[in-house]
Amino acid sequence: MSRLSQTFLPTLKDAPADAEAISHKLMVRAGLIRQLGAGLWTYLPAGWRVQRKVHEVIRAEMEGIGCQEMLMPVLQPAEAWEKTSRYAIEELFKLEDRKGSPLVLAMTHEEAVTYHVAREVRSYRDLPLMVFHIQTKERDEPRPRAGVLRTREFTMKDAYSFDRDEEGLARSYDLQAGAYERILDRCGLRWYRVESDVGMMGGSGADEYMAPCPAGENEVALAPGYAANVEVASAEPQPVELPAPLGAPEEVDTPGMTKVEEVASHLGLPQGAFIKTLPIVVEGRGMVLVLLRGDHRLNEIKLRNGMKTDFRQASAEEIEEQLGPVGYLGPVGSGLPIIVDAALTGDSYVTGANKPNTHLRGVDPSRDFEAYAMDVRTVEAGDTAPGGGRIEIETAIEVGNIFKLGTRYSEPLGATYLDENGAEHPIVMGSYGIGPARIAAASIEQRADERGIVWPPALAPWQVHLVSLAKAGEAEREAADRLYEELRAAGAEVLYDDRDAGPGEKLTDAELLGCPLRVVAGRRGLAEGVVEATERASGEEHRLPVEEAAAQALALLDD
RNA sequence: CGGGGAGUGGCGCAGUCUGGUAGCGCACUCGGCUGGGGGCCGAGCGGUCGCAGGUUCAAAUCCUGUCUCCCCGACCA
């Protein structure tokens, strides 16, 4: 029963004042969601229909690759999280039961699924195994934002694969990747798969599925044949013209000039002719200098991955004490370990002299100090990608990610199997997440127009939005009632606007909600024996004879 | 966690500086008109002004504390 007069579908003329993202505004206005608290959202009936549509697509594709659905609890004993050392994660909600036993609210389900597999799987004959569930996740996000895009509680489809070796993992990974591609295509998204940071998840590889749109939180470096999260992207920098080399570094007075741009304009050099010196501290190892070209930015993730250890920025006191005045820092004569960005290939740079109001010019990294070269800069638009293409940077929503976990969880949780020779091995795992809420939001971000949402058929809460422009009791209304019954009988998902409201309100609501086909039954058309069907995406209008309207509407949807 | 902003009826807001009867638009209810793009007329319902404390004859307004929400950044296993 989907008569709008009896449906809990509260639409709004204005977006909430504090909403910024398009999907946030439209989901609230169209009556799909309402907020309960920061990062906590309720799905109203129409919004939940959309979520279920996404779930169904995911379910079908998971089952299609032999991945079996199950369901694990969100509330979990803390013990397994202690074993995998994820209990320390700040985003993890922690609580106690009445007996004082420590519990957590799961942010993802590696611990739980591995716990079970560790107990049930013994033999190589039980492998490979792939399971998934669609379950709530809880994360104590420091800053929820943009409606449903970053929340503290959300539903995720997470799948897990269990194989005997890396080769098996590669096969499972490819199966999942194929399913992900079909899921996103069926949901009508523009997307790409990018290399990503494996992060503290460990393991040997990770890819993310990104849906480009302005509300995204991620930056992706794209070029023909190349796609990577900016977090891990590498590229050839844009060239820079350096001054003539000198026989040895030479001091220049730069009074009061502590910024690269100030010294650059003073000396008439491009910012790329400078070396930026960033002092960091590696706990237990002390201060390290990281050198970057003056016009480049540090990529902390690449640096962390390259060093294989965490670090922090040095404090002002540490810098003054061990190196020199902030604003005039440089590598020459520092005596500290140095990491030089791979883009610093020239032989005549300007950098700080570690003395007030003084810089050095003619600095040659290969001659004037010892350094370890590493690619640690953030790529930027205009750089040259590994395939030779020009890099573009685009913002995107991460709608899914797939990880090769390896034995990161199976080892601490004792998930092992016996091979043909009776030898015990840790199970090799993969994990595969996808966010139904983000898929819906990304779809809105990518497809909406100034009138509202434009759903792809696979995600639409209803396929047909039937609008009667007549009042109850009028002959035109009866024709609309009949058409509603016919459409339902024909198996269409139809929302019937039978409210006693003005035509403007009904038509705008239909466009706001964005169902693929709007069918209007009004006096004007019915006088000529037709109803008007309008495709939401294209705006194309069709006049359907009343007697055949149901069948023809369904035919339009099949195109 | 750093920076900025906001809490007044369901929604959007004014009133706060300069203390003195809580107001507007929309929505909602009732009646009527209208009926192809959020229409019109009339009559209504609805608010302890986030919370707590303080100053004062008197507090939405001044002071103190606190909670919540939003935005930017950091973070995001």
Side-chain angles (χ1 to χ4, degrees):
Chain A
M1 171 62 96
S2 293
R3 286 178 179 267
L4 191 37
S5 62
Q6 289 155 61
T7 302
F8 186 31
L9 183 58
T11 58
L12 259 27
K13 199 184 286 188
D14 298 307
D18 49 25
E20 295 288 327
I22 292 165
S23 57
H24 181 187
K25 292 180 186 171
L26 287 178
M27 289 177 88
V28 173
R29 283 190 58 207
L32 305 183
I33 58 172
R34 285 294 184 267
Q35 184 165 24
L36 188 63
L40 299 172
W41 291 86
T42 294
Y43 283 87
L44 301 180
W48 185 241
R49 286 181 74 98
V50 173
Q51 287 303 288
R52 281 166 49 198
K53 291 292 177 76
V54 182
H55 295 174
E56 285 317 309
V57 172
I58 292 171
R59 206 166 255 133
E61 293 297 339
M62 284 296 113
E63 285 167 0
I65 58 169
C67 194
Q68 304 166 61
E69 184 164 12
M70 55 192 278
L71 185 66
M72 293 175 275
V74 176
L75 182 62
Q76 304 183 357
E79 191 181 344
W81 295 78
E82 283 160 354
K83 286 183 179 165
T84 60
S85 35
R86 293 170 102 196
Y87 193 61
I89 294 174
E90 284 189 64
E91 282 74 23
L92 184 66
F93 279 107
K94 299 156 184 101
L95 66 159
E96 288 184 353
D97 66 15
R98 62 174 75 198
K99 292 179 291 192
S101 305
L103 297 166
V104 305
L105 297 177
M107 54 197 305
T108 171
H109 281 75
E110 280 82 5
E111 277 77 3
V113 75
T114 309
Y115 173 93
H116 287 120
V117 167
R119 269 149 198 81
E120 313 307 330
V121 170
R122 303 277 148 71
S123 159
Y124 71 95
R125 296 175 200 274
D126 301 324
L127 302 175
L129 172 67
M130 286 201 292
V131 295
F132 78 100
H133 69 170
I134 298 174
Q135 176 62 297
T136 304
K137 304 287 179 271
E138 307 282 350
R139 296 185 186 178
D140 193 356
E141 289 287 348
R143 183 156 106 79
R145 59 177 291 273
V148 113
L149 282 183
R150 177 153 227 100
T151 55
R152 295 196 289 178
E153 174 175 292
F154 59 98
T155 300
M156 180 162 104
K157 185 289 299 181
D158 39 324
Y160 303 91
S161 67
F162 301 86
D163 283 278
R164 53 184 300 175
D165 51 27
E166 285 289 333
E167 225 172 274
L169 170 58
R171 274 193 299 274
S172 297
Y173 195 80
D174 287 345
L175 280 173
Q176 289 285 344
Y180 272 45
E181 294 172 9
R182 289 188 293 277
I183 288 166
L184 300 179
D185 282 343
R186 284 177 64 177
C187 290
L189 287 184
R190 266 173 51 227
W191 60 272
Y192 28 71
R193 172 178 168 174
V194 303
E195 296 169 28
S196 74
D197 180 33
V198 295
M200 298 310 230
M201 287 278 272
S204 51
D207 292 88
E208 290 166 337
Y209 291 87
M210 294 286 187
C213 68
E217 297 185 283
N218 295 87
E219 292 197 322
V220 173
L222 293 174
Y226 184 77
N229 193 317
V230 166
E231 290 176 348
V232 297
S234 280
E236 280 295 310
Q238 294 155 78
V240 66
E241 198 163 321
L242 297 177
L246 303 175
E250 189 174 280
E251 289 190 1
V252 277
D253 286 338
T254 51
M257 300 172 208
T258 59
K259 292 187 174 145
V260 170
E261 55 264 38
E262 291 166 350
V263 188
S265 74
H266 177 65
L267 298 178
L269 292 171
Q271 292 188 27
F274 287 72
I275 294 176
K276 274 198 289 208
T277 304
L278 309 174
I280 60 168
V281 173
V282 178
E283 270 346 302
R285 276 203 250 161
M287 189 178 287
V288 175
L289 300 184
V290 178
L291 308 186
L292 280 173
R293 213 169 82 179
D295 57 338
H296 289 163
R297 286 183 305 138
L298 176 66
N299 182 325
E300 295 193 10
I301 292 172
K302 285 166 71 174
L303 177 58
R304 192 170 289 125
N305 290 343
M307 296 194 304
K308 297 187 170 57
T309 178
D310 207 358
F311 66 91
R312 62 173 171 83
Q313 289 188 354
S315 68
E317 296 74 44
E318 289 168 324
I319 295 169
E320 301 278 344
E321 185 186 316
Q322 297 181 49
L323 191 60
V326 171
Y328 301 95
L329 303 179
V332 180
S334 69
L336 293 168
I338 296 172
I339 291 172
V340 60
D341 180 61
L344 280 169
T345 52
D347 57 4
S348 181
Y349 292 96
V350 178
T351 185
N354 294 324
K355 299 203 295 198
N357 305 318
T358 313
H359 280 75
L360 291 176
R361 66 179 167 202
V363 172
D364 179 351
S366 62
R367 177 194 65 199
D368 298 327
F369 51 87
E370 289 287 317
Y372 184 75
M374 196 184 280
D375 174 15
V376 294
R377 77 179 182 98
T378 305
V379 302
E380 27 188 61
D383 292 350
T384 304
R390 185 179 184 280
I391 295 268
E392 302 285 348
I393 307 286
E394 197 165 17
T395 60
I397 296 176
E398 180 187 344
V399 291
N401 55 45
I402 56 180
F403 284 95
K404 289 184 177 174
L405 295 175
T407 58
R408 163 75 179 80
Y409 295 91
S410 50
E411 289 198 46
L413 295 172
T416 61
Y417 69 95
L418 297 181
D419 69 13
E420 294 89 332
N421 305 312
E424 186 177 50
H425 303 281
I427 298 177
V428 181
M429 292 176 53
S431 88
Y432 315 91
I434 199 163
R438 285 185 172 183
I439 286 179
S443 173
I444 293 171
E445 296 279 343
Q446 289 185 351
R447 305 168 56 98
D449 61 23
E450 58 293 335
R451 296 177 171 216
I453 298 172
V454 180
W455 290 116
L459 302 190
W462 292 274
Q463 300 306 306
V464 180
H465 191 133
L466 173 62
V467 177
S468 168
L469 294 182
K471 272 191 298 195
E474 295 176 353
E476 291 85 0
R477 175 57 162 274
E478 283 163 24
D481 285 349
R482 273 197 302 278
L483 180 50
Y484 173 55
E485 294 305 337
E486 285 168 20
L487 283 163
R488 289 181 66 202
E493 296 175 314
V494 42
L495 177 66
Y496 177 28
D497 191 347
D498 61 339
R499 294 173 301 175
D500 187 13
E505 193 175 344
K506 293 182 169 189
L507 297 173
T508 5
D509 270 354
E511 278 151 355
L512 216 207
L513 187 60
C515 295
L517 194 66
R518 185 186 77 191
V519 176
V520 174
R523 179 180 297 166
R524 198 196 278 166
L526 288 169
E528 300 170 26
V530 299
V531 295
E532 292 120 27
T534 309
E535 295 178 45
R536 180 65 180 87
S538 64
E540 199 180 331
E541 198 175 310
H542 309 266
R543 291 163 63 82
L544 312 181
V546 184
E547 315 78 51
E548 295 155 39
Q552 290 194 12
L554 291 178
L556 285 171
L557 286 167
D558 282 340
D559 291 344

